[in-house]
Amino acid sequence: MNAYADPIVAPRSCGPSSSGKGGISVTSVKRRKIRFLFILGLVLCGLHLSFRESAADSVTVEVQGISGDVLRNVEAALAMPPGLVSKEGIVNTIWLDYFITQVPAKAQSALEPFGYYKSHIEASEVSEEGKHRIIVTVSPGSHISVSSLEVRVEGPGAAERSLTALAASFPLKIGNVLRQDVYEKAKGDLRTAALDLGYLGADFPVHSVTVSLAREEAEIHLVLRTGPQYKFGTVAFTGAPTYPEPFLRRFLTFHKGDIFSNRKIGETQLNLQNADRFKDVFIEADRTAAEELQVPVTIRLTQAPRRRLRIGGGYTTDLGPRFTLQYRDVNVLERGHEFNSELNLSERLQAISSNYIIPGATDTKSLTSFNLRFLREDVLTYTTRFASFEVERMWSLGKGRLAGVFVTALKEDSFAGTQSTNSFSIYPGVRFSARQFDDLRRPTKGYYYLAELRATHPAFGSETAFVQSILEGNVLVPLPGGFSIFLRSRVAATLQNDPTSDLPIPLRFFAGGDRSVRGYTYQSLGPKDELGDVVGGKNLFVASLQLERAVGRDWGILAFYDTGNAFNDFSQMDLAQGAGLGVRYYSPVGPIEVDVARQLGVMSPGYRIHFSIGFAL
């Protein structure tokens, strides 16, 4: 029988004993040094001769008789050791002969995790024209099966449902093939679950796999001893004296008295790192300093500069060349408040905006913001100038979900075609959004959606009355073979109690452009006036389907189909269509996008190149 368990090594004395026996004398040390140097000289000489005698081009290992994961594991175990083949392709034949003698044992060790303990392995060498082929023939034999299984939890956490459920659902059952990788993972998962429940001293006093080669059976005995359950103690912050402690405690995902969890420690560290206020974050939870099973936590921070200035630029087909200047102060009045101001200049759009953010008291996403914006936009279909001021209160609903209420004041002066509006509006509203992507630079899966409802009435001081709803979202779904599907949609609707009143042009909807219906100019689609000029609509529908194939780490090629339009009546939708091909390069500062789109469903279809590039300095 073979019993597998962690070895217990007894301590040994490595110095001379008080009795003078069992020690190492100075004379014996000198003799060993001389003997070692002599043997080393012989080895180096042999290596030199062996390298000179063989100038083979390569050494390859061919494994026969197995396939799949078993084959890959054996091949990994039989990888060439460093130094066997020099950079010049010279093979050390002495090391090669020794390596071949080790092949059966190495291959057997690689087979055992898959339940093959009685394999027959032969290794032979074939040399042809300076090339060495090591042929390994494997007869794996029969599997070792589990004949007896004992997995249990003992100690103060023996009644924890999640632990007992893991023990009961241990993936190796009686009659299953013995898989060491499955055993080790399940064992690790059981201990990790115990640690996450605060049982910081959890260990395995019994953990053995006893294999009988004669009976081709294995017995598993695994006992998890939880030990006592720990909780979080006091939390102390150091290294960030200009931030008030209530502001820092917003980043905690636990409170004093909560069950201790390494996962919550990790989430807290991630919150602090993502705050963009600290250069270094180090969290120490010292179990040895625990009092009454409460573990004290010390969070050491290194503050980043509070004021930042950022210059950026880029180009899009919709707006032309652009320049941006951003200023940010992340600790206004040393209270953790944030001030942002941004200047945007492009051929068709000029804007300056500022916002002041007061963080919420409970978490990192809740806040109150005051936003001021001045904008001028001059595009093919309209020209608008407006000033807006918005106050918003936002709450976090967890897992990337946000809910907010807002009030916006808008003063605009605009014209589109033969129509013009010069109005003042105050409209309250609500927003709900969610965002979840696995990677910001090049996501492979995720989703985003936003739902907004806003309304106004002359009783609020507005010059018109309306109710407007907007729903937009996208989803990225990975497919086999490096493919992915990206779906995008935006739908909006407006209700007015007086259909004859004009909706302010900045609150109308248009379609067409890089992020709408490709193949058409930016904001060129929508209802028209009597002269045929686009003046925008009360409603909107846009949808897109995009299939992308990853090419390496940073590139992608894609095909897409877009459809949509703006209109005043859902019963009279006239959807424009565009389709084409594109290329993406995912740079560290954002994607560079090139799309070639063709209009569909029109008498004389046109082509349009959509190009977008951005960078920050």
Side-chain angles (χ1 to χ4, degrees):
M1 285 189 177
N2 296 332
Y4 296 86
D6 292 340
I8 301 175
V9 181
R12 296 183 300 173
S13 173
C14 57
S17 65
S18 59
S19 64
K21 297 180 182 181
I24 302 176
S25 67
V26 176
T27 303
S28 63
V29 170
K30 289 183 177 179
R31 288 176 180 173
R32 291 180 183 179
K33 286 184 177 179
I34 294 172
R35 187 183 306 162
F36 172 77
L37 292 174
F38 178 73
I39 294 174
L40 179 61
L42 290 178
V43 171
L44 292 176
C45 181
L47 292 178
H48 175 71
L49 291 175
S50 64
F51 275 127
R52 290 173 58 89
E53 290 173 358
S54 177
D57 293 329
S58 64
V59 177
T60 59
V61 178
E62 299 178 12
V63 181
Q64 302 174 353
I66 51 178
S67 60
D69 292 339
V70 181
L71 173 61
R72 284 186 285 273
N73 205 47
V74 171
E75 288 176 337
L78 300 181
M80 291 294 105
L84 194 149
V85 182
S86 70
K87 294 180 179 180
E88 295 78 17
I90 301 174
V91 179
N92 184 326
T93 55
I94 293 179
W95 281 17
L96 180 62
D97 292 341
Y98 178 67
F99 174 74
I100 294 174
T101 63
Q102 292 182 310
V103 165
K106 288 178 175 288
Q108 178 59 56
S109 296
L111 289 165
E112 288 178 0
F114 296 90
Y116 298 108
Y117 284 79
K118 298 175 65 177
S119 306
H120 180 72
I121 303 163
E122 293 183 352
S124 59
E125 178 191 358
V126 177
S127 299
E128 298 175 352
E129 298 180 356
K131 295 185 177 181
H132 299 264
R133 293 170 56 221
I134 302 174
I135 300 175
V136 182
T137 304
V138 179
S139 299
S142 55
H143 289 102
I144 298 295
S145 300
V146 178
S147 62
S148 175
L149 176 66
E150 178 194 29
V151 181
R152 72 174 191 270
V153 180
E154 63 180 29
E160 291 280 0
R161 290 185 178 181
S162 58
L163 297 181
T164 55
L166 278 176
S169 61
F170 200 78
L172 289 178
K173 305 295 184 183
I174 294 177
N176 290 167
V177 174
L178 175 63
R179 290 281 302 267
Q180 290 183 13
D181 56 337
V182 175
Y183 168 79
E184 292 296 340
K185 183 180 183 303
K187 176 183 171 185
D189 290 345
L190 188 58
R191 184 171 185 272
T192 298
L195 294 176
D196 206 48
L197 288 170
Y199 299 101
L200 303 184
D203 63 358
F204 294 97
V206 178
H207 56 112
S208 65
V209 179
T210 305
V211 176
S212 171
L213 298 180
R215 298 195 304 270
E216 298 182 350
E217 294 177 349
E219 298 177 354
I220 297 176
H221 300 277
L222 184 63
V223 177
L224 173 70
R225 181 173 54 201
T226 65
Q229 187 178 49
Y230 288 80
K231 296 183 178 181
F232 283 107
T234 58
V235 180
F237 291 91
T238 64
T242 64
Y243 287 94
E245 186 165 318
F247 172 80
L248 296 175
R249 288 188 175 275
R250 298 165 56 253
F251 298 97
L252 299 177
T253 58
F254 57 87
H255 300 89
K256 182 179 179 180
D258 290 351
I259 294 173
F260 188 91
S261 167
N262 286 316
R263 176 179 54 83
K264 291 184 178 180
I265 291 286
E267 291 173 352
T268 298
Q269 180 154 8
L270 190 61
N271 284 346
L272 288 163
Q273 290 171 341
N274 291 340
D276 196 23
R277 288 173 165 87
F278 311 105
K279 292 192 293 185
D280 296 304
V281 179
F282 178 76
I283 302 180
E284 180 183 13
D286 188 2
R287 179 163 68 101
T288 61
E291 296 182 359
E292 297 181 355
L293 298 179
Q294 291 193 341
V295 181
V297 178
T298 302
I299 301 178
R300 296 184 176 89
L301 304 171
T302 302
Q303 292 184 189
R306 56 174 282 192
R307 297 183 180 92
R308 297 92 181 268
L309 187 66
R310 182 182 181 187
I311 300 173
Y315 179 89
T316 65
T317 309
D318 288 347
L319 300 176
R322 69 178 185 270
F323 168 81
T324 61
L325 179 64
Q326 298 175 336
Y327 172 78
R328 187 182 184 202
D329 186 339
V330 298
N331 194 16
V332 180
L333 303 175
E334 294 189 354
R335 300 185 64 182
H337 294 188
E338 184 175 338
F339 174 76
N340 298 283
S341 185
E342 181 172 333
L343 173 67
N344 285 278
L345 299 176
S346 68
E347 181 181 353
R348 302 181 181 94
L349 183 146
Q350 302 85 44
I352 183 169
S353 59
S354 298
N355 75 323
Y356 190 89
I357 298 174
I358 301 176
T362 56
D363 57 74
T364 60
K365 300 298 183 182
S366 299
L367 55 87
T368 301
S369 65
F370 302 87
N371 309 288
L372 179 64
R373 190 182 191 200
F374 300 92
L375 178 143
R376 181 184 185 276
E377 188 175 16
D378 186 0
V379 297
L380 178 66
T381 50
Y382 62 81
T383 297
T384 182
R385 292 175 297 174
F386 72 74
S388 67
F389 179 72
E390 180 178 281
V391 180
E392 181 178 17
R393 181 70 174 98
M394 185 181 298
W395 295 271
S396 171
L397 303 180
K399 295 184 179 181
R401 299 190 299 269
L402 298 171
V405 296
F406 63 91
V407 177
T408 304
L410 175 71
K411 180 67 177 75
E412 60 85 23
D413 182 10
S414 315
F415 64 87
T418 59
Q419 299 183 13
S420 63
T421 58
N422 188 333
S423 64
F424 176 76
S425 303
I426 295 180
Y427 50 89
V430 295
R431 294 189 181 107
F432 182 82
S433 66
R435 182 186 298 272
Q436 190 73 45
F437 287 97
D438 60 348
D439 185 7
L440 294 179
R441 178 178 175 268
R442 185 176 187 176
T444 59
K445 62 180 178 180
Y447 63 87
Y448 159 78
Y449 61 85
L450 167 71
E452 180 175 315
L453 180 67
R454 57 196 185 192
T456 190
H457 191 272
F460 297 157
S462 300
E463 298 177 18
T464 185
F466 64 83
V467 177
Q468 207 167 61
S469 61
I470 302 172
L471 179 63
E472 63 181 55
N474 53 58
V475 59
L476 178 62
V477 181
L479 299 175
F483 286 91
S484 62
I485 285 183
F486 181 68
L487 302 172
R488 168 175 53 85
S489 182
R490 190 167 193 252
V491 181
T494 305
L495 297 177
Q496 288 183 280
N497 60 352
D498 182 3
T500 62
S501 65
D502 287 334
L503 189 68
I505 290 175
L507 297 177
R508 299 180 188 181
F509 299 101
F510 300 80
D514 299 345
R515 297 294 182 266
S516 182
V517 183
R518 283 164 285 189
Y520 292 86
T521 307
Y522 176 62
Q523 305 289 65
S524 64
L525 297 174
K528 300 178 180 180
D529 61 13
E530 60 274 9
L531 297 180
D533 296 322
V534 175
V535 294
K538 298 179 181 180
N539 309 308
L540 176 75
F541 175 81
V542 172
S544 176
L545 170 64
Q546 186 168 290
L547 177 66
E548 182 172 345
R549 172 67 163 84
V551 180
R553 179 185 177 187
D554 299 325
W555 290 87
I557 55 176
L558 56 92
F560 60 85
Y561 170 78
D562 299 339
T563 184
N565 210 332
F567 44 89
N568 289 321
D569 192 332
F570 275 94
S571 64
Q572 298 177 354
M573 285 194 303
D574 182 16
L575 299 181
Q577 302 176 74
L581 303 174
V583 178
R584 298 286 184 271
Y585 173 66
Y586 296 92
S587 73
V589 294
I592 298 174
E593 306 176 356
V594 180
D595 296 328
V596 179
R598 181 181 186 271
Q599 299 171 358
L600 302 177
V602 296
M603 293 295 295
S604 300
Y607 289 85
R608 185 170 179 82
I609 296 177
H610 297 268
F611 179 68
S612 175
I613 180 173
F615 58 90
L617 302 175

